[in-house]
Amino acid sequence: MNTSERPDTAHSEAPVPDLWLPSTVPGPVSVGVDGSAASHRALLWAAQEARLRRVHLNVVFIAKPHLPPPLGEALDHPSGYVQHLLSEAGDEVGGCAARLDLAGYSDVTATVALGWDDPVDGLARAAAGSTMMVVGDHEPAGIRALLLGSSALRTAEHASCPVAVVRARPRDPHPSAHDDRVMVGIDGSASSVVAAALAFEEAHLRDIGLTAVHVWYATPQEITAEVAWGGNPGPQPDALALLEHVTAPGRLAHPDVDVRHLAVMGQPATALTELSSAARMLVVGSGGHGTVAERLLGSTGKALVHHAHCPVLIVPTHCHPQY
């Protein structure tokens, strides 16, 4: 990959759009738990987010699996099956409280919501009014984990608020100071503009820098022609100009955030996945266009949800940052 990176030094004089104006009182950070290692990791990530935002944590446990129980079990022992699910939920809720205390989040006010529903429907309802929904993405183990594991992608497609997907695989626990940054993917779309706004907010809350990335594609013919004339293939000046333009409001709203611009030649999903190994968090827009498409992640978003090396924050176009 060819890259061009430089620290940002100039602040734009462009007026701050409505996107950056204070919004209503922020709602809770909600997190879906299902007993998996990934959801336990998501729980602690959500607790940190709630503490940074000074809002309460809403823990959502969906007791009903996506599929009904085996027919014989349902007919012969219906009350026993229900009791088993309730007992499982109670154990998980108690376990969540213990994990929060052990990890040092006893100061975070938490509430628990027990759902009896399809996981995605239940999480989508919990997302309404939330500042953020946090879910885990994990390798499935068994039928129930398989059904709940698919909820990460579906929740990101259907939730009305930003959705953070936290992978089960931990990244390097000792990143260098240079790498400990929020990363945001920018392609010039409306969703990437909103993603940039939330990325600035996340960087500000964590007191770390932000790297804005634009991935551009050049055909083999264009690369060959540029190299033959001694040039650098691809529209890097245009890419850096786009990054300057999209990040200008954020630099005005959060002058304390160190901003770097990175133009990368390659395929977006591949490039962002590779770069995510050196990021605290990756923020991307939903990529939707239109009423139906806004509910569906593009191929880049889907790939990042399952393959990124850090938590991925998916931001719907209609969302506004909450200060």
Side-chain angles (χ1 to χ4, degrees):
M1 282 190 311
N2 291 338
T3 63
S4 175
E5 182 175 5
R6 63 181 183 185
D8 171 73
T9 55
H11 286 198
S12 171
E13 297 300 326
V16 178
D18 289 344
L19 179 69
W20 298 91
L21 298 179
S23 67
T24 57
V25 176
V29 171
S30 294
V31 56
V33 296
D34 62 13
S36 67
S39 76
H40 295 159
R41 186 171 174 82
L43 172 72
L44 300 184
W45 195 95
Q48 180 190 42
E49 187 75 18
R51 174 187 281 170
L52 289 171
R53 293 178 174 275
R54 299 181 181 179
V55 298
H56 79 268
L57 178 67
N58 181 35
V59 181
V60 183
F61 182 84
I62 307 299
K64 182 180 179 182
H66 193 126
L67 292 180
L71 182 60
E73 181 181 352
L75 293 177
D76 296 340
H77 307 286
S79 61
Y81 182 74
V82 171
Q83 185 62 38
H84 168 74
L85 291 178
L86 291 176
S87 175
E88 182 184 45
D91 291 344
E92 179 61 23
V93 168
C96 286
R99 288 184 182 88
L100 290 174
D101 286 343
L102 186 63
Y105 290 108
S106 58
D107 59 310
V108 176
T109 302
T111 58
V112 177
L114 177 61
W116 189 261
D117 207 342
D118 170 82
V120 174
D121 290 342
L123 294 177
R125 274 195 292 274
S130 295
T131 295
M132 184 182 298
M133 169 60 72
V134 183
V135 294
D137 182 54
H138 56 83
E139 296 299 326
I143 297 297
R144 188 165 187 268
L146 173 63
L147 295 168
L148 291 174
S150 66
S151 298
L153 180 60
R154 294 168 58 208
T155 301
E157 291 179 333
H158 291 83
S160 57
C161 66
V163 175
V165 181
V166 180
R167 300 278 292 162
R169 295 194 306 268
R171 61 188 290 270
D172 182 1
H174 302 292
S176 67
H178 175 75
D179 293 336
D180 198 21
R181 304 172 67 83
V182 172
M183 184 172 292
V184 57
I186 293 176
D187 61 9
S189 65
S191 63
S192 73
V193 171
V194 180
L198 189 54
F200 267 98
E201 185 178 351
E202 292 292 336
H204 170 73
L205 288 171
R206 288 165 171 74
D207 193 26
I208 59 178
L210 180 145
T211 300
V213 181
H214 176 69
V215 182
W216 48 271
Y217 175 78
T219 66
Q221 293 82 2
E222 290 172 332
I223 295 174
T224 301
E226 287 286 346
V227 172
W229 287 97
N232 193 6
Q236 289 191 17
D238 291 344
L240 292 172
L242 172 65
L243 292 171
E244 289 275 1
H245 174 72
V246 173
T247 60
R251 286 180 279 129
L252 285 173
H254 296 296
D256 59 306
V257 174
D258 173 63
V259 182
R260 295 194 179 108
H261 294 158
L262 180 63
V264 179
M265 184 181 70
Q267 198 277 336
T270 302
L272 290 174
T273 296
E274 180 179 340
L275 291 169
S276 71
S277 64
R280 174 95 67 97
M281 174 196 310
L282 174 61
V283 186
V284 293
S286 62
H289 299 281
T291 303
V292 177
E294 283 178 355
R295 289 185 172 270
L296 299 174
L297 289 179
S299 58
T300 299
K302 290 179 180 178
L304 293 173
V305 163
H306 290 307
H307 299 294
H309 303 290
C310 65
V312 179
L313 185 54
I314 308 290
V315 188
T317 303
H318 62 269
C319 288
H320 284 217
Q322 297 183 348
Y323 297 107

